[in-house]
């Protein structure tokens, strides 16, 4: 870790200004990711702008029946909020599948969105990594890559986004409110995280000086038929090898609206609306689920250590769809897969 | 001995527990002194090659930095290898930090940055620029397996396979039922809570008081004195509390060397603590490859056993452990051929990790026994019973005791093994496949030389001291219990002092021998105190004990009495007052009984029963139930003993399903060197664990009838889990850890 300056921002505008005026500056929220990265010398900020005092710790009801969650609400507070639990149980479930209670108590909504990949090589400054040091190469290609991407990867980077919360937000179709030097704007969730392409150093579409203020969720009909299924190397406290968020609207055993988002498989939570649309009106049975899984994974490609994720993801998608359509939601406190 | 003990055999909580949970127990890194310096290591980022140059200029300019040590300016130390060999050193050349520009393994320390604060040292360490000339590294055991060799200098005679008996090949070829299988294990890395750390406090007179994370304070002391040419009297090493060790802290680690080196060079007190990452570059359980071939007749009687074991070692030392010999020992068989080789790789020297050798070898043997049971078509437990042997066929010796039948019986009953349906995949719980598997565990029950001192004070309190180490196992408690029993006291009346090189000589804490060795030494010293008391009692006027001999008396309720008749005796206070003594102090030394050892071999045994549930579609594995029945002689404290076994089971669970050091073989570097990516079981992975101690009387394994419990808990667990997975799924995964990808791949293969 290197010496850095520390300022505590009192207003969103002040934070934006501080961030925009110093290319060496970063925002500090819960610190559960940033501080680790600083200790590993992956992040070497010259200035830390602590945003924990900003008035962004709120969960508000919206007039349309939706909800607005401030960037500083902790993961625990979101997961245990009564309104979230009843109206957006998929979000609560996904958060509870992640990390540990201690981490969730510290981690914030904004930090969770912007957290960085867990690729081993990204964490080790002695190895080539295009994300950490553009142009240096990608050590994961041809290296140890059992936790890496099977979808949407590029020749420059095969890392995955590690968040569980974001997989649920992708399925629910959240909107992200950001504020920057040019004022406020909304970003559709699917446009927030990026695929690596030839710019893997960019995880998301935040512009310089922009800060996440809140996320918004519309009212939906998914409170009954949804699930979050996470498969990992131990039963708790590990990042997803593959995870699936499913939200379904059913009518007479047919899929009216089906959303499937995948975690642990790509540089962003993976959703394919075209595939989802193909299944609108289809009878919700195992055959359909198999097909949907096949279609979603049609472009999947392994890199050696992670080939297994392709069949695993297919099985997980089918199981998650079964869970969601039967209303047998995955209980995150249960050890067995339901 | 009093029949009704107030101490031994009771499930007492650890005496130091309150200190540990309130932060009152200080570990090696928790000693401070104003003006002390802090050192941080710069680890190498190649696995083989040479340092072309080191640029320390930026780091040196960093505020607070005092000095940076590299191979270019390291103070001179002992020249000969013998000076660098600690008590448990291995054949080969001990690693000497900063000796030269050669890089022998990933993470090798290439510089020590010393600064006025830990933060300054850590930050400056990142500014040290090392330019390497990397060479091709070899870290993949399977790719180098053709270079395996028999260690030319055995670490210990017993570790070498015994000569073949009978003709295993011929018997194998003849037999009706045969299996032969290969088992692979990835390297495992010790990750106790406490990081390696050394604090050196420099006295005004130049003496060094060293708080070291070690399993042997006197081993560290010898090492420091030898390497730096210091007189023993000028160096005290303490390890009052050790936050987990399991073998990793048997040998001195480089932080000890660095802390002393810098302290002597800079004439300041010093502290060096490793990072979690550095913990991955030392003393690991080596990756291994084993082939086990078993043959049996139609009834399942073993006709032939062949076990070939190979594991990794470093370029500079021949790490060895007893992997294969268990296969000649566990069951009755007249045709046995065991072989054992190691492979040099560009890695740091592996080392002992809980049940070294047995955890590896018995896993392969017991997985193979399960395969044989299916081949023969009999119950896996029945197969073991049919091949039961009450003799050490490897050494052709009798056993001091072997209550393994009771382990099988009581373990099976508690588990409900009789309700098992043999067919794989035949038991279900909803979408989960249910599997029941079992395995035998065994480990040696040894004694090592140990001394102890017991001081009896006139106020009826006792002080026990020994340079033994309590690595979290409960040694303080059980030694207190033994002393309390000898003097018919409560454990609260006894103070136990351990972890200090000035105390009576004790070897390193390992091999599960501490309870048996130090415990016997405490008992012997207590008996010596009682003999002294008797001598003084005999000098009393009209002494009722004038004619009694030492083995006729004991202490009861503050009196020295005849064992046969407690009415006859004298108050100890009276004896001591008359003799004008405020305390009596005696020492004793114990060691292995060589005469007995010529005739008898001693082992602990266990039977492990496991239930797994495997999601039939997804391959998610859960270990839902474990019953471990253990025969380990006398149990001094059922509570600390049970904790030992529970810990062993959880470590076995990690071995079976989680733990895996991942190396990028292109560069020879470990990639998952943190606890987020190196997985050990989380709480959620640990479900219903049950421990049974069966009765086992043993008057030969050690004077106090104890066999030790530190390692037996892990042995057999990984095999039982893999056997249960087979029973659940019909899939044999012979590569550990058994992760979800291997379950899926075995499905694709089949
Ligand atoms: C051992 C471990 C296990 C974990 N397991 C899981 C898991 O299983 N599943 C999972 O989903 N997560 C897991 N996590 C990750 C955890 O969820 C994230 O670390 C956490 O969500 C980050 O939030 P934070 O508030 O601490 O962010 P910080 O560490 O403070 O910040 C992270 C990044 O976000 C930026 N940032 C923070 N707030 C804002 C904002 N409002 N606007 C713009 N940028 C911002 C920071 O500048 C920084 O770059 C794990 C973490 C650890 C350490
Ligand atoms: S996968 Fe991405 S993050 Fe990982 S090494 Fe390659 S470029 Fe870096």
């Amino acid at each position: 870790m290197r010496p850095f300056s520390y300022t505590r921002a009192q207003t969103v505008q002040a934070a934006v200004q501080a961030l925009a005026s110093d290319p060496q500056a970063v925002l500090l929220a819960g610190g559960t990711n940033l501080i680790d990265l600083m200790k590993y010398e992956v992040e070497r900020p010259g200035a830390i702008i602590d945003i924990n005092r900003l008035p962004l710790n709120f969960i508000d009801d919206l007039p349309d029946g939706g909800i607005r969650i401030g960037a500083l609400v902790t993961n625990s507070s979101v997961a245990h909020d009564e309104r979230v639990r009843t109206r957006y149980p998929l979000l609560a479930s996904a958060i509870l599948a992640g990390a540990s209670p201690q981490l969730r108590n510290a981690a914030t909504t904004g930090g969770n969105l912007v957290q960085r990949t867990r690729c081993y090589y990204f964490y080790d400054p002695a190895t080539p990594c295009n994300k950490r040091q553009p142009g240096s190469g990608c050590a994961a290609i041809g290296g140890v890559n059992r936790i890496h991407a099977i979808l949407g990867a590029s020749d420059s980077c095969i890392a995955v986004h590690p968040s569980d919360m974001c997989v649920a937000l992708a399925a629910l179709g959240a909107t992200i409110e950001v504020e920057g030097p040019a004022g406020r704007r909304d970003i559709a969730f699917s446009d927030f995280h990026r695929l690596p392409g030839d710019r893997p150093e960019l995880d998301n579409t935040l512009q310089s000086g922009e800060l996440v203020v809140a996320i918004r969720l519309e009212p939906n009909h998914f409170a009954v038929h949804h699930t979050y299924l996470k498969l990992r190397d131990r039963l708790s406290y590990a990042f997803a090898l593959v995870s699936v968020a499913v939200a379904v609207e059913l009518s007479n055993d047919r899929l009216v609206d089906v959303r499937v988002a995948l975690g642990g498989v790509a540089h962003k939570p993976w959703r394919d609306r075209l595939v989802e649309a193909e299944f609108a009106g289809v009878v919700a049975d195992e055959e359909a689920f198999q097909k949907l899984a096949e279609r979603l994974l049609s472009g999947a490609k392994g890199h050696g250590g992670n080939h297994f994720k392709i069949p695993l993801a297919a099985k997980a998608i089918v199981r998650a769809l079964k869970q969601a359509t039967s209303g047998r939601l995955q209980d995150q406190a249960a050890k067995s897969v339901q | 001995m009093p029949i009704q003990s107030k101490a031994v055999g009771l499930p007492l909580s650890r005496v130091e527990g309150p200190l540990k949970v309130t932060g009152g127990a200080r570990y090696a890194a928790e000693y401070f002194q104003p003006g002390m310096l802090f050192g941080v290591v710069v680890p190498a980022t190649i696995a083989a090659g040479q340092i072309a140059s080191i640029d320390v200029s930026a780091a040196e300019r960093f505020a607070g930095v005092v000095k940076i040590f590299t191979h270019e300016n390291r103070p001179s130390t002992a020249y000969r290898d013998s000076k660098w060999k600690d008590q448990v050193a291995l054949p080969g050349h001990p690693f000497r930090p900063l000796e030269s520009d050669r890089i022998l393994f990933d993470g090798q320390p290439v510089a020590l940055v010393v600064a006025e604060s830990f933060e300054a040292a850590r930050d400056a360490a990142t500014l040290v620029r090392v330019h390497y000339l990397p060479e091709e590294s070899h870290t993949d055991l399977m790719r180098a397996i053709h270079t395996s060799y028999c260690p030319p200098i055995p670490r210990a005679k017993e570790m070498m396979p015994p000569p073949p008996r009978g003709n295993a090949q011929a018997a194998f070829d003849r037999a009706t039922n045969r299996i032969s299988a290969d088992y692979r294990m990835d390297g495992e890395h010790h990750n106790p809570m406490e990081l390696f750390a050394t604090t050196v406090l420099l006295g005004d007179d130049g003496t060094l008081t060293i708080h070291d994370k070690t399993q042997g304070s006197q081993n560290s002391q010898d090492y420091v004195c030898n390497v730096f040419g210091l007189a023993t009297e000028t160096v005290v090493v303490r390890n009052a509390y050790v936050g987990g060790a399991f073998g990793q802290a048997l040998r001195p680690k480089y932080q000890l060397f660095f802390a002393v080196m810098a302290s002597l060079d800079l004439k300041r007190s010093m502290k060096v603590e490793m990072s979690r990452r550095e913990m991955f570059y030392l003393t690991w359980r080596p990756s291994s490859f084993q082939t086990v071939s078993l043959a049996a007749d139609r009834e399942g009687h073993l006709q032939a056993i062949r076990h070939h074991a190979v594991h990794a070692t470093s370029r500079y030392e021949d790490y060895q452990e007893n992997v294969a010999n268990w296969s000649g020992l566990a069951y009755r068989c007249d045709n046995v051929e065991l072989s054992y080789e190691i492979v040099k790789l560009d890695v740091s020297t592996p080392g002992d990790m809980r049940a070294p050798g047995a955890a590896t070898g018995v896993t392969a043997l017991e997985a193979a026994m399960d395969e044989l049971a299916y081949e023969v078509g009999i119950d896996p437990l029945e197969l073991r019973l049919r091949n039961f042997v009450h003799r050490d066929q490897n050494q052709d010796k009798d056993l001091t005791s072997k209550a393994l039948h009771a382990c099988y019986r009581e373990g099976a009953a508690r588990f409900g093994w009789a309700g098992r349906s043999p067919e794989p995949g035949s038991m279900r719980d909803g979408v989960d496949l249910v599997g029941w598997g079992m395995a035998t565990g065994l480990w040696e029950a040894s004694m090592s030389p140990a001394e102890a001192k017991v001081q009896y004070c006139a106020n009826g309190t006792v002080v026990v001291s020994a340079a033994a180490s309590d690595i979290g196992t409960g040694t303080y408690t059980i030694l207190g219990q033994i002393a309390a029993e000898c003097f018919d006291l409560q454990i609260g009346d006894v103070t136990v002092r351990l972890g200090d090189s000035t105390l009576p000589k004790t070897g390193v804490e390992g091999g599960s021998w501490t309870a048996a060795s130090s415990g016997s030494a405490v008992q012997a010293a207590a008996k010596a105190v009682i003999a002294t008391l008797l001598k003084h009692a005999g000098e009393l006027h009209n002494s009722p004990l004038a004619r009694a001999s030492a083995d006729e008396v004991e202490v009861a309720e503050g009196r020295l009495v005849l064992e046969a008749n407690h009415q006859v005796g004298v108050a100890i206070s009276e004896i001591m007052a008359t003799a004008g003594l405020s305390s009596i102090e005696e020492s004793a030394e114990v060691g292995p009984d060589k005469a007995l050892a010529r005739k008898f071999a001693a082992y602990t045994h266990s039977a492990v029963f496991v239930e797994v549930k495997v999601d039939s579609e997804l391959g998610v594995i859960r270990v839902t139930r474990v019953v471990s029945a253990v025969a380990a002689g006398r149990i001094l404290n059922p509570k600390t003993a049970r904790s030992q076994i529970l810990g062993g089971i959880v470590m076995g669970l990690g071995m079976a399903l989680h733990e895996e050091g991942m190396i990028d073989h292109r560069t020879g570097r470990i990639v998952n060197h943190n606890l987020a990516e190196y997985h050990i079981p989380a709480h959620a992975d640990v479900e219903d664990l049950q421990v049974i101690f069966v009765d086992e009387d043993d008057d030969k394994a050690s004077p106090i009838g104890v066999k030790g419990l530190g390692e037996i808990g892990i042995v057999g667990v990984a095999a039982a889990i893999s056997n249960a997975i087979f029973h659940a799924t019909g899939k044999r995964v012979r590569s550990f850890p058994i992760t979800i990808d291997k379950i899926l791949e075995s499905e694709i293969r089949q």
Side-chain angles (χ1 to χ4, degrees):
Chain A
M1 211 186 278
R2 304 289 170 80
F4 50 82
S5 72
Y6 171 89
T7 31
R8 183 181 284 154
Q10 303 293 350
T11 65
V12 172
Q13 289 71 23
V16 165
Q17 204 176 12
L19 191 60
S21 64
D22 182 354
Q24 299 280 325
V26 297
L27 303 176
L28 173 72
T32 60
N33 190 209
L34 179 67
I35 304 292
D36 279 359
L37 290 168
M38 288 169 66
K39 287 184 183 167
Y40 285 109
E41 290 275 300
V42 177
E43 303 266 12
R44 302 173 182 188
I48 293 248
I49 304 159
D50 181 346
I51 58 170
N52 283 289
R53 299 287 168 91
L54 300 187
L56 300 177
N57 187 5
F58 55 79
I59 301 183
D60 290 340
D61 285 316
L62 295 174
D64 66 353
I67 205 166
R68 184 164 175 263
I69 302 171
L72 285 172
V73 185
T74 65
N75 289 176
S76 297
S77 303
V78 176
H80 295 295
D81 182 86
E82 209 35 54
R83 291 160 293 173
V84 174
R85 283 161 47 120
T86 49
R87 280 147 57 192
Y88 304 96
L90 174 59
L91 176 59
S93 181
I95 291 173
L96 293 178
S100 65
Q102 293 90 332
L103 281 159
R104 296 194 295 265
N105 285 344
T108 64
T109 303
N112 197 313
L113 290 171
V114 183
Q115 66 170 304
R116 312 215 62 187
T117 184
R118 310 302 293 201
C119 169
Y120 317 109
Y121 301 99
F122 175 69
Y123 268 74
D124 183 349
T127 58
C129 168
N130 288 326
K131 187 183 276 303
R132 182 174 19 79
Q133 203 185 338
S136 61
C138 171
I141 297 174
V144 183
N145 54 29
R146 72 188 292 279
I147 61 174
H148 287 75
I150 51 171
L151 287 164
S154 73
D155 291 344
S156 341
C157 179
I158 59 171
V160 302
H161 193 264
S163 169
D164 290 300
M165 181 186 91
C166 291
V167 186
L169 291 176
L172 295 172
T175 302
I176 298 175
E177 288 177 31
V178 305
E179 180 153 333
R184 288 221 173 182
R185 65 177 181 121
D186 283 351
I187 306 178
F189 196 83
S190 54
D191 295 335
F192 185 77
H193 295 104
R194 298 177 65 251
L195 289 180
D198 55 5
R199 298 293 304 278
E201 69 277 18
L202 302 176
D203 293 347
N204 53 51
T205 54
L206 281 176
Q207 300 297 308
S208 104
E210 273 183 336
L211 166 152
V212 175
V213 173
I215 56 171
R216 282 201 317 272
L217 286 165
E218 293 173 356
N220 66 46
H221 305 282
F222 301 130
V224 185
H225 294 295
H226 66 86
T227 198
Y228 187 70
L229 175 59
K230 176 177 180 181
L231 303 178
R232 53 198 133 174
D233 273 327
R234 58 185 163 193
L235 296 176
S236 172
Y237 198 40
F239 290 94
L241 292 167
V242 168
S243 71
V244 189
V246 170
V248 179
E249 225 185 298
L250 276 181
S251 171
N252 296 329
D253 292 339
R254 282 179 188 276
L255 301 165
V256 176
D257 185 357
V258 56
R259 301 176 177 194
V260 181
L262 305 179
V265 297
H267 202 254
K268 60 187 289 189
W270 189 263
R271 239 188 105 179
D272 189 331
R273 283 159 202 266
L274 293 177
V275 170
E276 289 171 5
E278 288 169 22
F279 288 82
V282 169
V283 175
D285 60 11
E286 177 143 3
E287 198 192 323
F289 302 159
Q290 301 268 15
K291 263 203 205 118
L292 201 159
E294 229 168 81
R295 291 282 295 120
L296 263 181
L297 296 165
S298 62
K301 174 172 172 284
H303 299 273
N306 66 348
H307 280 303
F308 76 96
K309 282 190 178 183
I310 303 173
L312 188 65
K315 288 163 186 275
I317 294 167
V318 172
R319 178 66 77 82
L321 282 162
K322 278 196 226 169
Q323 289 183 342
T325 50
S326 66
R328 251 185 311 120
L329 327 176
Q330 182 63 40
D331 173 1
Q332 300 304 343
K335 296 182 185 183
S336 58
V337 180
Q338 271 122 10
Chain B
M1 293 275 141
I3 315 277
Q4 211 51 48
S5 171
K6 292 176 184 167
V8 167
L10 299 186
L12 301 180
S13 295
R14 287 172 207 211
V15 291
E16 81 284 15
L19 275 181
K20 283 187 171 166
V21 298
T22 55
R26 282 207 273 167
Y27 294 86
E30 297 180 310
Y31 292 84
F32 292 92
Q33 198 178 63
M36 76 187 307
L37 298 174
F38 300 81
V40 166
V41 160
V42 179
T45 55
I46 61 167
Q50 203 180 330
I51 299 171
S53 63
I54 295 195
D55 177 6
V56 297
S57 53
E60 263 172 354
R61 283 195 304 272
F62 197 87
V65 169
V66 173
K67 183 163 179 176
I68 298 173
F69 295 91
T70 69
H71 67 280
E72 288 167 351
N73 66 347
R74 195 195 80 163
S76 76
T77 48
Y79 174 69
R80 274 183 298 150
D81 261 357
S82 60
K83 296 282 184 193
W84 291 81
K85 291 213 171 189
D86 66 282
Q87 288 171 16
V88 281
L90 299 164
H93 306 289
F95 176 67
R96 304 179 184 197
L98 307 186
E99 183 187 24
S100 74
D101 58 1
R102 288 303 308 170
I103 300 298
L104 300 166
F105 57 91
D106 176 32
Q108 176 180 324
V110 295
L112 178 77
V113 178
V114 178
E116 301 283 353
S117 71
F118 164 71
E119 290 77 9
R122 181 190 60 191
D123 297 351
T126 65
L127 298 173
V128 173
R129 291 282 160 263
V130 188
H131 179 53
Y132 298 101
L133 299 174
E135 291 162 16
E136 194 187 341
S137 60
H138 302 273
T139 49
D140 185 345
L141 179 72
M142 296 318 291
R143 258 190 270 166
I145 201 114
H146 60 280
T147 64
S148 69
Y149 61 96
C150 257
I153 304 171
R155 175 182 177 190
K157 201 170 77 257
E158 314 81 70
M159 283 185 188
M160 291 294 106
R165 59 177 186 260
N167 186 336
Q169 181 67 60
F172 185 84
D173 292 343
R174 262 198 321 269
T176 47
N177 295 297
R178 307 185 278 207
I179 65 106
S180 184
D182 296 337
Y183 300 91
R184 282 209 50 194
M185 286 176 206
D186 283 308
E188 287 190 287
H189 297 266
H190 276 282
N191 269 294
M193 287 281 276
E194 186 193 11
L195 302 166
F196 276 106
T198 302
T199 304
V200 177
L201 302 174
L202 192 63
D204 295 336
D205 53 355
T207 56
L208 304 181
T209 303
I210 301 173
H211 297 276
D212 185 33
K213 181 184 177 167
T214 173
Q215 290 171 249
S217 56
Q218 290 165 335
N219 191 26
S220 290
Q221 181 194 33
D222 284 354
Y223 175 84
V224 164
C225 291
N226 287 335
V227 167
F228 295 99
L230 302 173
T232 311
E233 319 77 73
T234 63
V235 177
V236 175
V237 178
R238 301 214 169 106
N239 62 336
Y241 300 105
V242 181
F246 306 110
Q248 195 185 24
L250 288 168
R251 302 185 64 193
K253 292 295 177 292
Y254 60 70
Q255 94 289 347
L256 172 65
F257 170 85
F258 281 137
V260 175
M261 173 197 78
S263 182
L264 294 175
D265 187 66
L266 299 167
K267 313 223 164 16
R268 301 271 290 272
S269 293
M270 265 305 297
K271 186 198 306 287
V272 181
E273 185 177 18
M274 287 191 197
S275 62
R276 180 57 68 185
R277 174 179 166 195
E278 288 172 80
M279 300 293 281
F280 284 81
Y281 305 129
L282 323 143
T283 309
W284 50 297
R285 192 194 298 286
S287 44
S288 61
F289 178 79
Q290 303 177 70
T291 304
V292 180
S293 307
L294 303 176
D297 64 16
R298 277 189 215 337
E299 284 74 47
H301 298 114
L302 281 164
Q303 303 299 306
I305 298 176
R306 300 174 76 201
H307 187 162
H308 180 62
V310 182
H311 69 68
T313 189
S314 67
R315 295 270 173 227
Y316 51 97
E317 283 173 315
D318 279 357
Y319 174 68
Q320 298 163 52
E321 53 185 34
N322 170 8
V323 184
N325 299 1
W326 311 102
S327 290
L329 182 70
Y331 302 106
R332 176 183 303 285
C333 184
D334 295 330
N335 301 295
V336 175
E337 192 184 317
L338 309 172
S339 51
Y340 169 69
E341 296 186 333
I342 53 181
V343 173
K344 283 207 178 296
L345 297 176
D346 296 302
V347 294
S348 70
T349 306
D352 295 330
M353 181 164 176
R354 208 173 202 165
T360 305
V362 175
T363 296
L365 170 68
E366 288 299 295
M369 282 294 280
D370 199 69
E371 304 204 25
L372 183 68
Y374 278 91
E375 184 66 27
V376 176
I378 61 172
D379 179 84
L381 174 56
E382 180 58 28
L383 178 70
R384 275 121 176 138
L385 290 169
R386 286 191 192 168
N387 290 289
F388 197 89
V389 62
H390 206 297
R391 187 170 181 74
D392 179 341
Q393 285 185 287
N394 280 352
Q395 302 187 66
D396 198 22
K397 284 180 189 171
D398 282 330
L399 300 176
T400 59
S401 61
K402 183 174 179 178
L404 179 59
H405 267 306
C407 297
Y408 288 141
R409 196 173 51 242
E410 292 180 36
R414 175 84 67 91
F415 186 83
W417 184 258
R420 180 178 186 267
S421 96
E423 196 58 34
S426 61
M427 291 167 67
R428 271 193 172 254
D429 173 12
V431 72
D432 281 337
L433 297 163
V434 178
W436 288 3
M438 61 85 55
T440 306
L442 63 166
W443 182 252
E444 58 218 11
S446 46
M447 291 261 298
S448 84
E451 285 176 36
K453 191 163 73 185
V454 168
Q455 184 188 32
Y456 187 95
C457 303
N459 64 1
T461 61
V462 168
V463 180
V464 170
S465 41
S469 313
D470 186 334
I471 61 168
T473 52
T475 309
Y476 280 107
T477 311
I478 55 153
L479 296 186
Q481 287 176 276
I482 291 168
E485 181 182 71
C486 294
F487 295 105
D488 193 26
L489 296 169
Q490 306 283 346
I491 187 154
D493 300 324
V494 182
T495 304
V496 180
R497 294 177 55 214
L498 304 175
D500 185 328
S501 62
T502 61
L503 297 176
K505 193 166 170 57
T506 313
V508 291
E509 200 286 355
S512 297
W513 57 53
T514 295
S517 311
S518 290
S520 296
V522 168
Q523 190 191 58
K527 282 188 175 164
V529 169
I530 290 171
T532 306
L533 277 172
L534 179 64
K535 186 177 80 131
H536 292 300
E539 290 158 4
L540 292 176
H541 183 61
N542 274 343
S543 172
L545 299 175
R547 295 221 202 111
S549 70
D551 44 4
E552 286 167 346
V553 296
E554 65 184 4
V555 175
E557 293 175 0
R559 298 165 69 239
L560 188 66
V561 297
L562 282 183
E563 220 176 84
N565 180 0
H566 281 199
Q567 303 298 324
V568 180
V570 191
I572 297 178
S573 53
E574 189 190 331
I575 302 173
M576 293 182 69
T578 312
L581 295 171
S582 59
S583 73
I584 296 177
E585 191 178 287
E586 298 292 348
S587 297
E589 187 183 345
V590 300
D593 183 331
K594 295 222 170 70
L596 261 177
R598 270 193 291 277
K599 284 176 65 187
F600 294 96
Y603 300 94
T604 45
H605 298 90
S606 68
V608 188
F609 297 85
V610 167
E611 175 182 87
V612 300
K613 293 193 176 166
V614 184
D615 188 287
S616 56
E617 294 162 5
L618 301 169
V620 175
I621 303 166
R622 289 181 298 139
V623 175
T624 46
R625 221 147 51 85
V626 180
V627 173
S628 175
V630 178
R634 185 179 182 207
I635 303 303
L636 296 167
N637 181 332
K639 189 172 187 175
T640 55
R642 177 171 173 274
S643 296
Q644 288 262 30
I645 302 302
L646 291 178
I649 296 171
V650 174
M651 240 164 138
L653 178 56
M655 183 173 196
L657 302 182
H658 306 126
E659 295 194 48
E660 173 178 18
M662 297 177 185
I663 299 179
D664 185 332
H665 293 302
R666 299 171 305 178
T667 57
R669 302 193 58 215
I670 298 170
V671 299
N672 61 338
H673 44 63
N674 59 68
L675 289 180
E677 299 300 340
Y678 181 88
H679 296 140
I680 56 171
H683 282 292
D685 296 290
V686 181
E687 300 197 32
D688 180 12
L689 310 184
Q690 297 186 41
V691 179
I692 299 169
F693 292 111
V694 305
D695 287 336
E696 188 177 63
D697 281 334
D698 192 316
D699 58 0
K700 299 185 192 70
S702 70
I704 54 172
V706 163
K707 281 180 166 179
L709 285 162
E711 344 235 348
I712 186 68
I714 188 176
V715 186
V717 175
I721 292 173
S722 83
N723 297 342
I725 291 171
F726 172 75
H727 182 233
T729 63
K731 292 169 197 158
R732 285 278 177 209
V733 180
R734 301 186 184 90
S735 163
F736 295 84
I738 303 173
T739 43
I740 196 166
D741 42 327
K742 293 179 187 165
I743 293 280
L744 281 179
E745 275 158 21
S746 72
E747 187 168 293
I748 293 162
R749 271 204 320 269
Q750 279 176 0

